[in-house]
Amino acid sequence: MGITEVKVVIHGPKGSRRSSLLADTGSSYTWIGARMLTELGVKPIGSQLFKTIDKRLVERPTADVLIEYDSAKRYCPVAFAEKGDANVLGVTAMEIIGLEIDPSTREVRKVTAHAAFLGDEGPPKKPEGRLTAKKLSKKTSPSLNSSRR
């Protein structure tokens, strides 16, 4: 398996900076160097305990950071990486931004649609013809229709 780099823009109160992060579908959080985040004016809002690949427990400050990929900007949970920590784009940020890794090419691609649970009724029915006020009023509840009379 190869390494996939993702070029993003990290935004903070004091500016923005381009960065290359390793795509890591095994990491929940995105890890970005604490120095860069501090220079961009990002302040921790908490801390989180993480289990490393070698089973060590480490605690890192965390914040929600605006990350941009190909004009899509979303706030994502980020850990302040220390010296020796890898800078990675975690799976949560990839899902929030709408990215996935193509398993055959190891390239990043945009997701065409996010998954959604539609409940027991299944997908919505396609309306027949143009939706008019009369058709819409038939679909509303009787209590709403009676208040309009």
Side-chain angles (χ1 to χ4, degrees):
M1 260 192 216
I3 294 173
T4 302
E5 274 193 8
V6 183
K7 294 183 186 310
V8 297
V9 179
I10 310 299
H11 297 274
K14 294 182 179 178
S16 303
R17 190 169 304 163
R18 294 183 186 281
S19 183
S20 288
L21 304 175
L22 298 176
D24 186 355
T25 57
S27 177
S28 297
Y29 272 67
T30 292
W31 291 60
I32 298 173
R35 182 176 177 183
M36 178 196 296
L37 292 173
T38 302
E39 289 171 358
L40 291 174
V42 176
K43 295 184 179 176
I45 58 171
S47 66
Q48 181 71 39
L49 198 59
F50 298 94
K51 186 184 282 188
T52 66
I53 196 166
D54 61 356
K55 308 285 190 244
R56 289 180 300 122
L57 292 178
V58 297
E59 188 171 6
R60 297 290 184 268
T62 58
D64 292 327
V65 176
L66 189 61
I67 299 176
E68 178 180 356
Y69 176 85
D70 193 30
S71 77
K73 292 181 184 177
R74 301 290 185 271
Y75 281 96
C76 303
V78 171
F80 285 60
E82 295 179 358
K83 186 177 179 181
D85 295 339
N87 289 318
V88 300
L89 185 67
V91 71
T92 303
M94 285 189 258
E95 289 177 353
I96 291 170
I97 297 169
L99 304 176
E100 63 186 5
I101 305 294
D102 183 317
S104 59
T105 64
R106 300 290 305 156
E107 291 179 357
V108 176
R109 65 182 179 205
K110 284 191 138 187
V111 176
T112 55
H114 291 277
F117 176 71
L118 299 173
D120 295 336
E121 296 180 21
K125 306 282 187 270
K126 183 176 179 182
E128 295 188 26
R130 202 172 130 214
L131 186 61
T132 63
K134 189 174 183 178
K135 286 182 184 176
L136 183 60
S137 69
K138 288 181 181 177
K139 291 183 178 187
T140 58
S141 70
S143 62
L144 289 175
N145 285 335
S146 62
S147 66
R148 291 183 186 164
R149 294 180 195 169

